[in-house]
């Protein structure tokens, strides 16, 4: 438990009220020391901050729920990814066993074999079949794991990984800021000092050599252009494209059957089984993630704007509660839209 939470718990238990009463009595009797007087003044500030901590904690609970939902989705995706890798390995192993089985069966047909050689080959064949049966069981287990994970799709299922990572980082940053806010509030700090801390808050940021960034940007643009062109072609030929058998499907027929099954229950599922066939796309996503983290001015401006928005929002949350803060934010957005519409129509906001 964080230290400020322990202090907050003690305050909520009534210990602070008791101490304030004790010090106030000394003040009234004029027996209070200079240190005790300072303690009394600070204790009163802390007391005034308690409702703000309550409000910030309500918002933190909301953020923690959102973070938990992201972690659940990440776990779900990892289960699918891990199971896919196992399926591929098992399928390759099974094909190897099939070849060994066929070879051993062919040797057993040799009439020149003596009894000992036949016994050895039969024993070998038995072990191969045993391994194949175990392989089938393991394959079914991992296939079931994928089925279950697919059935646990939540509201974050359609968010691509780089955006989910950014969302997770953003929420984690807000939770850290809320912890800092509560830590200072429980010590009696004013909101002005807290706001200054928020203004100076440095989020994690990666920097890169400009030449490297430019090369990455050009490569991504070229690959995106190629990708967009390919998607247009796929849209036109999609009805017949599903009939064609890819090289991957030819090599892994059992996995191909699973892919075919999942195509029937959703377009998103198809993407999970194309990882082995889309190394280029994986590289593109990795580059895009780095590019997004390394973009200079525009990203800095966006980050600054988001930080300012958070500073304004969390202050209202602390003073008025999350419900009122959300209402105020919604009203502000409505006014902003109205102003933009009025400006585009060449009239003053509020004119009929």
């Amino acid at each position: 438990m964080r230290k400020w939470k322990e202090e907050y718990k003690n305050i909520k238990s009534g210990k602070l009220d008791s101490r304030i009463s004790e010090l106030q009595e000394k003040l009234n009797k004029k027996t209070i020391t200079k240190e005790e007087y300072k303690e009394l003044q600070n204790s009163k500030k802390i007391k005034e901050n308690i409702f703000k901590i309550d409000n910030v904690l309500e918002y933190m609970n909301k953020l923690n729920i959102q973070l938990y939902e992201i972690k659940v989705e990440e776990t779900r995706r990892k289960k699918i990814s891990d199971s896919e890798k196992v399926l591929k390995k098992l399928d390759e192993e099974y094909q190897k066993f099939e070849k060994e089985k066929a070879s051993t069966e062919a040797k057993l047909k040799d009439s020149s074999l003596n009894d000992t050689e036949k016994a050895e080959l039969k024993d070998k064949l038995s072990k191969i079949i045993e391994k194949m049966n175990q392989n089938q069981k393991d394959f079914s287990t991992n296939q079931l794991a994928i089925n279950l994970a697919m059935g646990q799709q939540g509201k974050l299922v359609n968010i691509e990984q780089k955006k989910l990572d950014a969302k997770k980082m953003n929420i984690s940053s807000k939770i850290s800021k809320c912890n800092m806010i509560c830590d200072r509030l429980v010590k009696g700090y004013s909101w002005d000092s807290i706001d200054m801390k928020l203004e100076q808050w440095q989020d994690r940021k990666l920097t890169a050599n400009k030449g490297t960034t430019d090369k990455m940007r050009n490569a991504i643009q070229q690959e995106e252009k190629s990708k967009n062109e390919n998607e247009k072609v796929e849209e036109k030929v999609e009805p017949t494209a599903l009939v064609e058998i890819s090289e991957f499907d030819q090599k892994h027929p059992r996995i191909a059957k699973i892919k075919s099954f999942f195509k029937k229950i959703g377009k998103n599922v198809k993407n999970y089984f194309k990882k082995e066939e889309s190394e280029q796309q994986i590289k593109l996503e990795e580059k895009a993630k780095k590019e997004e983290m390394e973009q200079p001015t525009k990203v800095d401006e966006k980050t600054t704007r988001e930080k300012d928005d958070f500073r304004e929002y969390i202050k209202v949350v602390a003073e008025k509660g999350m419900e009122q803060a959300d209402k105020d934010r919604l009203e502000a957005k409505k006014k902003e839209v109205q102003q933009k519409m009025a400006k585009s129509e060449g009239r003053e906001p509020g004119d009929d």
Side-chain angles (χ1 to χ4, degrees), residues 337-349:
V337 171
Q338 289 172 352
Q339 289 174 350
K340 287 182 178 179
M341 289 178 64
K343 187 176 181 181
S344 66
E345 294 172 2
R347 57 184 176 83
E348 291 297 322

Side-chain angles (χ1 to χ4, degrees), residues 201-244:
W201 190 280
Q202 294 295 321
D203 291 312
R204 278 186 63 192
K205 180 182 175 183
L206 300 178
T207 57
N209 180 282
K210 187 179 184 300
T212 303
T213 303
D214 290 340
K215 288 179 182 178
M216 286 171 55
R217 184 181 292 109
N218 292 333
I220 291 170
Q221 287 174 348
Q222 290 297 321
E223 289 176 347
E224 281 288 0
K225 182 179 179 182
S226 174
K227 177 189 170 189
N228 291 335
E229 290 174 353
N230 290 337
E231 282 178 356
K232 290 178 181 178
V233 172
E234 288 173 3
E235 287 174 3
K236 293 179 180 179
V237 299
E238 187 174 358
T240 57
L242 294 176
V243 180
E244 297 176 3

Side-chain angles (χ1 to χ4, degrees), residues 57-252:
L57 276 175
E58 182 186 9
Y59 178 59
M60 280 184 71
N61 288 335
K62 178 183 176 182
L63 292 174
N64 279 312
I65 290 172
Q66 292 175 350
L67 190 61
Y68 173 76
E69 290 172 345
I70 290 175
K71 289 179 179 179
V72 168
E73 175 62 18
E74 286 180 333
T75 300
R76 189 186 75 86
R77 293 184 185 188
K78 188 175 186 304
K79 283 181 181 178
I80 293 172
S81 177
D82 290 346
S83 294
E84 284 174 347
K85 291 175 183 176
V86 174
L87 283 185
K88 181 177 180 292
K89 184 178 178 181
L90 288 170
D91 198 61
E92 291 172 347
E93 187 181 66
Y94 191 84
Q95 291 178 49
K96 179 183 175 183
F97 290 150
E98 282 186 322
K99 290 178 181 179
E100 290 179 358
K101 180 174 176 286
S103 175
T104 304
E105 288 174 337
K107 289 178 181 178
L108 275 169
K109 293 178 181 179
D110 188 348
S111 58
S112 65
L113 293 173
N114 58 41
D115 291 341
T116 302
E117 290 172 332
K118 282 183 179 180
E120 288 176 351
L121 286 172
K122 285 180 179 179
D123 182 62
K124 181 180 179 181
L125 181 61
S126 176
K127 288 179 180 178
I128 291 172
I129 292 173
E130 186 179 339
K131 289 179 181 179
M132 291 177 75
N133 290 335
Q134 184 59 50
N135 178 286
Q136 289 281 40
K137 289 179 182 179
D138 294 341
F139 192 93
S140 297
T141 299
N142 282 274
Q143 182 178 339
L144 178 60
I146 290 177
N147 292 357
L148 291 173
M150 291 296 184
Q152 296 169 350
Q153 294 180 359
K155 61 184 180 182
L156 300 174
V157 65
N158 291 323
I159 299 181
E160 58 187 84
Q161 190 59 49
K162 65 179 181 180
K163 289 185 178 179
L164 196 67
D165 291 340
K167 185 178 179 69
K168 181 181 178 181
M169 187 179 292
N170 182 264
I171 292 173
S172 298
S173 176
K174 287 178 179 178
I175 291 174
S176 296
K177 290 173 183 177
C178 286
N179 274 309
M180 180 276 291
I181 290 169
C182 290
D183 180 67
R184 294 182 80 80
L185 285 173
V186 86
K187 292 175 182 174
Y189 282 90
S190 68
W191 193 266
D192 286 342
S193 68
I194 291 171
D195 189 61
M196 188 178 296
K197 271 279 188 182
L198 288 172
E199 187 179 13
Q200 296 169 348
W201 190 280
Q202 294 295 321
D203 291 312
R204 278 186 63 192
K205 180 182 175 183
L206 300 178
T207 57
N209 180 282
K210 187 179 184 300
T212 303
T213 303
D214 290 340
K215 288 179 182 178
M216 286 171 55
R217 184 181 292 109
N218 292 333
I220 291 170
Q221 287 174 348
Q222 290 297 321
E223 289 176 347
E224 281 288 0
K225 182 179 179 182
S226 174
K227 177 189 170 189
N228 291 335
E229 290 174 353
N230 290 337
E231 282 178 356
K232 290 178 181 178
V233 172
E234 288 173 3
E235 287 174 3
K236 293 179 180 179
V237 299
E238 187 174 358
T240 57
L242 294 176
V243 180
E244 297 176 3
I245 302 175
S246 68
E247 183 180 350
F248 179 84
D249 288 349
Q250 290 174 356
K251 289 182 178 179
H252 307 282

Side-chain angles (χ1 to χ4, degrees), residues 305 309 312 327-345 347-350:
R305 185 171 64 253
D309 289 344
E312 293 175 10
K327 286 181 180 179
D328 290 355
R329 175 182 274 183
L330 181 61
E331 189 60 35
K333 287 183 178 179
K334 285 181 179 178
K335 287 182 179 178
E336 185 179 350
V337 171
Q338 289 172 352
Q339 289 174 350
K340 287 182 178 179
M341 289 178 64
K343 187 176 181 181
S344 66
E345 294 172 2
R347 57 184 176 83
E348 291 297 322

